[in-house]
Amino acid sequence: MAYQLDAKIPAGPIQEKWTNHRFNLKLVNPANKRKFKIIVVGSGLAGGAAAASLGELGYNVECFCYQDSPRRAHSIAAQGGINAAKNYPNDGDSIWRLFYDTVKGGDYRAREANVYRLAEVSNNIIDQCVAQGVPFAREYGGLLDNRSFGGAQVSRTFYARGQTGQQLLLGAYQSLSRQIARGTVKMFPRSEMLDLVLVDGHARGIIVRDLVTGEIRRHAADAVILATGGYGNVFYLSTNAMGCNVTAAYRAYRRGAGFANPCFTQIHPTCIPVSSDHQSKLTLMSESLRNDGRVWVPKKKGDKRPPNEIPEDERDYYLERRYPSFGNLVPRDVASRAAKERCDAGHGVGATGLAVYLDFSDAIQRLGRDVIEARYGNLFQMYEKITAEDPYQVPMRIYPAVHYTMGGLWVDYNLQSTIPGLFVGGEANFSDHGANRLGASALMQGLADGYFVLPYTLGDYLAREADMNVKVGTDHEAFAAAEREVRDKIERLMAVGGKEPVESFHKRLGRLMWDYCGMARNAEGLQKALAEIPKLREEFWAEVRVTGGPDGLNAELEKAGRVADFLEFAELMCRDALHREESCGGHFREEHQTEEGEAKRDDENFSYVAVWEFKGDGEEPELSKEPLTFEHVPLTTRSYK
């Protein structure tokens, strides 16, 4: 039976929904909070902020991460900034404008109520982080500085040079460390969640593997929060850290959590191009660079002259030409498709022809090298180390790459999944970005969920659903059954004894996904992928070689489990992309585009969240739909011209 999806959106004016909802949420008495245990999986901005906040409230929190320290969560890799509607530059920004830009930027495939709440609490995030000592850039007079990002005509992005994610994560980490020292949070590093445990239909714990000793452990709680990031590594080559994976979310999906819009993946336009078949990941160059960098290609096809030898009148500043209102600051999906179009037309640069230029010569001449160095110095240094080219002297070469995933586990307004007691925060849920995330909004959502949403809504669940006097222990049969399944899968992986390494299967899957479910998709390609992925999965289980043993440190076993999940999840992604007969945001179906090559939505038939339910191995998942209504941001053709 399909899900009965209830988003639990509060009644009343959108400006008052969150305020009124918080008042109507049930509270847990301060003395009773310590009687509840909460599990938080993930220690990035969403997970770290949630664990720290819940610990400070008095709950007993267990926080898990597979890194050796919470400081190594992938939130650290975010570079350019974090959005908030402070309107410090006095350029016309407001909560309403941030709300509007985010709904429009997501191509009208996000839930209005959630997006407005995100915009509303954005200002609180900046105050919180400043109080923690996050070293945001400041103007000469001492006020926090702002810069522009794609999809907005105002400057609302707060930043710390090109390392904003790192500085925000350190702020969350010090809050988390304080609670660890107080004893309200117990940290479990190098621990990977391998299954979710349900008791009477409610999330009551997890099964984890200690990545150092190989020990399989059970952990029980009154509620579980997943904040495990995105699944971009299904493409193999992405801007994600190599360890990023879908396992926690996918195992929850197999236990009954609905997976929403899995095909909504974001392609980032400013990444260092692929240079070798042996490359294992791609490097992001921050979107903030598009503030001062100009994107161009030679007007002449196949022009192989060095960029500094190509005269100004022989350059095509194609974003400025096609989108005069926004220019180089169009949203990521628009900029990515435009770069692909130019390269496909024969105007690409570099050895492969799959790159465009990002040029700072005008900005350096206008502002001076010292100003550009102060704004982007560490990014320029990183680029030079990777490419051996000095971007102060020659333009950067960039090309789109997989970056962020807007899809994720379905959650209601309270960030609760279709499984009672399972809450999902940050990139692991689907809720706020629709079909395309605006730059500098990932950090905003992660901290909003962790600091300002989950501490309220989780308490409401506990007050309504949980009995503090009735505890489920790890000796419950549900834990034993889940542990058996985890051990069986590990034993099955170890028993294959094939000849092909795990990495080889991951690469082949990534190529399939990029070719047929990447920056552009069509029905023929998606049907081919849906035919090829099961074959590759069958070959994996017949030929994969997992060296070492199940006990102790075994990176190959870790990777094998994650790739096995990717091989199943990839099929769900392609199925979702095939069913959505429209183009919207990062989901570009070649059959559905305007004469100018822009995405063409079908609001009459596809203005909904697609939520997939696992029905068993070998069975097709079942689709449920959450209709989307737009009362405040009218449905219009998205234009940045």
Side-chain angles (χ1 to χ4, degrees):
M1 188 178 76
Y3 289 123
Q4 301 300 308
L5 299 171
D6 179 5
K8 296 184 173 63
I9 298 172
I14 196 167
Q15 299 94 327
E16 300 173 10
K17 286 184 186 295
W18 179 232
T19 299
N20 292 340
H21 187 61
R22 281 184 297 171
F23 178 75
N24 291 320
L25 291 172
K26 285 188 173 293
L27 302 176
V28 178
N29 183 293
N32 288 335
K33 287 187 172 77
R34 58 179 173 268
K35 298 179 181 179
F36 290 109
K37 182 190 288 186
I38 313 299
I39 283 174
V40 180
V41 186
S43 64
L45 288 184
S53 299
L54 291 166
E56 188 165 11
L57 285 171
Y59 295 104
N60 292 302
V61 181
E62 292 185 349
C63 186
F64 298 80
C65 69
Y66 62 72
Q67 299 92 348
D68 57 359
S69 166
R71 290 173 297 176
R72 293 177 63 85
H74 193 56
S75 301
I76 201 172
Q79 299 167 339
I82 177 171
N83 287 330
K86 286 285 196 182
N87 194 31
Y88 284 170
N90 199 28
D91 57 358
D93 201 10
S94 64
I95 290 171
W96 192 269
R97 188 177 294 277
L98 176 54
F99 160 61
Y100 174 88
D101 287 345
T102 304
V103 172
K104 177 184 175 183
D107 217 351
Y108 302 91
R109 291 296 176 262
R111 193 189 286 151
E112 277 193 336
N114 286 65
V115 177
Y116 189 88
R117 177 176 63 188
L118 177 64
E120 183 180 357
V121 304
S122 67
N123 294 339
N124 297 339
I125 297 169
I126 303 304
D127 295 339
Q128 171 98 352
C129 294
V130 169
Q132 291 172 337
V134 173
F136 287 120
R138 294 181 181 267
E139 294 179 333
Y140 177 76
L143 295 177
L144 299 185
D145 196 13
N146 290 105
R147 57 189 179 198
S148 299
F149 258 62
Q153 292 179 304
V154 297
S155 296
R156 63 163 65 104
T157 304
F158 296 79
Y159 65 98
R161 296 188 74 187
Q163 48 186 243
T164 314
Q166 178 180 356
Q167 299 303 328
L168 290 171
L169 185 62
L170 288 172
Y173 174 69
Q174 70 180 15
S175 295
L176 181 61
S177 297
R178 179 168 177 263
Q179 298 309 315
I180 293 171
R182 291 180 60 194
T184 61
V185 176
K186 186 174 182 181
M187 194 71 217
F188 293 87
R190 301 310 303 261
S191 301
E192 182 170 27
M193 171 185 159
L194 294 181
D195 212 343
L196 178 72
V197 180
L198 272 59
V199 176
D200 297 330
H202 289 240
R204 296 305 302 266
I206 60 175
I207 306 296
V208 303
R209 179 175 182 269
D210 186 307
L211 299 182
V212 177
T213 67
E215 179 189 2
I216 306 298
R217 298 196 308 260
R218 310 173 185 181
H219 292 267
D222 295 288
V224 177
I225 296 173
L226 293 188
T228 51
Y231 47 85
N233 274 352
V234 68
F235 292 92
Y236 185 71
L237 284 179
S238 80
T239 66
N240 288 214
M242 287 299 292
C244 294
N245 61 81
V246 77
T247 290
Y250 190 73
R251 304 282 173 96
Y253 162 74
R254 289 178 61 91
R255 290 293 181 190
F259 214 112
N261 300 333
C263 78
F264 284 175
T265 54
Q266 180 171 79
I267 312 297
H268 198 294
T270 54
C271 299
I272 297 178
V274 177
S275 60
S276 166
D277 287 340
H278 302 291
Q279 203 164 339
S280 59
K281 79 174 296 293
L282 298 174
T283 302
L284 169 70
M285 300 308 297
S286 170
E287 182 177 314
S288 64
L289 295 170
R290 289 198 276 149
N291 272 276
D292 291 303
R294 300 179 71 192
V295 180
W296 64 275
V297 292
K299 289 182 179 179
K300 180 182 177 182
K301 291 184 179 181
D303 192 335
K304 296 301 181 183
R305 288 177 292 173
N308 292 343
E309 294 181 12
I310 300 176
E312 187 74 14
D313 61 355
E314 296 182 32
R315 301 179 178 189
D316 178 14
Y317 295 92
Y318 59 90
L319 291 179
E320 298 172 34
R321 169 174 56 82
R322 291 179 60 177
Y323 309 101
S325 293
F326 283 76
N328 295 297
L329 287 171
V330 292
R332 292 173 176 179
D333 61 317
V334 176
S336 295
R337 283 195 296 273
K340 181 179 186 297
E341 185 277 327
R342 288 291 78 195
C343 291
D344 289 349
H347 297 273
V349 302
T352 63
L354 294 177
V356 300
Y357 289 126
L358 181 61
D359 193 341
F360 290 85
S361 56
D362 283 0
I364 291 172
Q365 185 175 3
R366 184 178 72 254
L367 301 170
R369 173 171 171 152
D370 58 335
V371 173
I372 299 302
E373 194 167 355
R375 291 177 179 174
Y376 314 111
N378 59 315
L379 298 172
F380 277 46
Q381 182 183 39
M382 181 171 66
Y383 181 87
E384 185 173 6
K385 282 188 175 182
I386 292 171
T387 66
E389 296 177 358
D390 182 359
Y392 293 104
Q393 302 297 326
V394 296
M396 292 182 179
R397 286 177 293 109
I398 57 169
Y399 193 70
V402 173
H403 178 54
Y404 186 91
T405 51
M406 286 76 65
L409 294 180
W410 183 89
V411 291
D412 61 19
Y413 189 74
N414 294 326
L415 303 187
Q416 186 171 213
S417 72
T418 54
I419 297 175
L422 177 65
F423 293 77
V424 190
E427 190 178 357
N429 74 35
F430 89 99
S431 66
D432 293 357
H433 305 297
N436 173 67
R437 177 177 66 77
L438 292 183
S441 288
L443 303 181
M444 176 174 62
Q445 186 210 347
L447 291 177
D449 288 354
Y451 282 138
F452 299 109
V453 180
L454 286 167
Y456 287 95
T457 59
L458 186 75
D460 178 75
Y461 166 78
L462 295 173
R464 295 177 187 273
E465 302 285 345
D467 187 339
M468 71 186 78
N469 298 313
V470 178
K471 298 297 181 183
V472 173
T474 55
D475 56 348
H476 193 283
E477 173 54 29
F479 281 88
E483 182 181 333
R484 280 195 298 272
E485 291 186 35
V486 166
R487 291 185 182 278
D488 287 347
K489 185 162 189 176
I490 291 173
E491 290 173 7
R492 187 181 170 202
L493 284 167
M494 298 302 308
V496 175
K499 297 180 179 179
E500 192 166 346
V502 177
E503 190 86 349
S504 171
F505 288 101
H506 196 181
K507 277 187 178 182
R508 291 163 62 189
L509 175 64
R511 173 53 63 184
L512 271 174
M513 294 300 291
W514 179 252
D515 287 347
Y516 302 121
C517 195
M519 205 181 331
R521 301 119 184 234
N522 58 56
E524 182 182 358
L526 289 165
Q527 287 165 349
K528 182 171 183 179
L530 286 168
E532 292 297 321
I533 291 169
K535 296 177 185 176
L536 183 61
R537 187 167 61 242
E538 184 177 348
E539 185 182 346
F540 172 88
W541 285 105
E543 296 295 337
V544 71
R545 182 180 76 239
V546 182
T547 55
D551 300 323
L553 185 67
N554 189 340
E556 282 299 295
L557 177 58
E558 295 171 36
K559 191 187 303 180
R562 295 165 188 170
V563 172
D565 290 328
F566 277 141
L567 283 164
E568 294 183 23
F569 176 69
E571 193 171 338
L572 181 66
M573 281 184 67
C574 292
R575 190 180 300 277
D576 186 47
L578 181 62
H579 113 275
R580 190 171 281 277
E581 290 277 359
E582 65 166 352
S583 291
C584 56
H587 170 64
F588 189 74
R589 285 286 296 271
E590 293 175 337
E591 307 95 322
H592 305 288
Q593 56 182 298
T594 66
E595 292 181 0
E596 295 81 20
E598 304 292 350
K600 188 175 181 180
R601 295 194 322 267
D602 181 353
D603 294 328
E604 183 177 350
N605 295 304
F606 291 96
S607 187
Y608 59 75
V609 180
V611 186
W612 298 90
E613 180 181 2
F614 180 72
K615 304 302 288 186
D617 291 317
E619 302 293 326
E620 290 191 5
E622 185 170 1
L623 174 64
S624 299
K625 302 174 183 178
E626 179 202 336
L628 294 171
T629 58
F630 296 90
E631 302 174 13
H632 306 283
V633 185
L635 283 164
T636 58
T637 300
R638 194 172 60 143
S639 174
Y640 292 94
K641 296 182 179 181

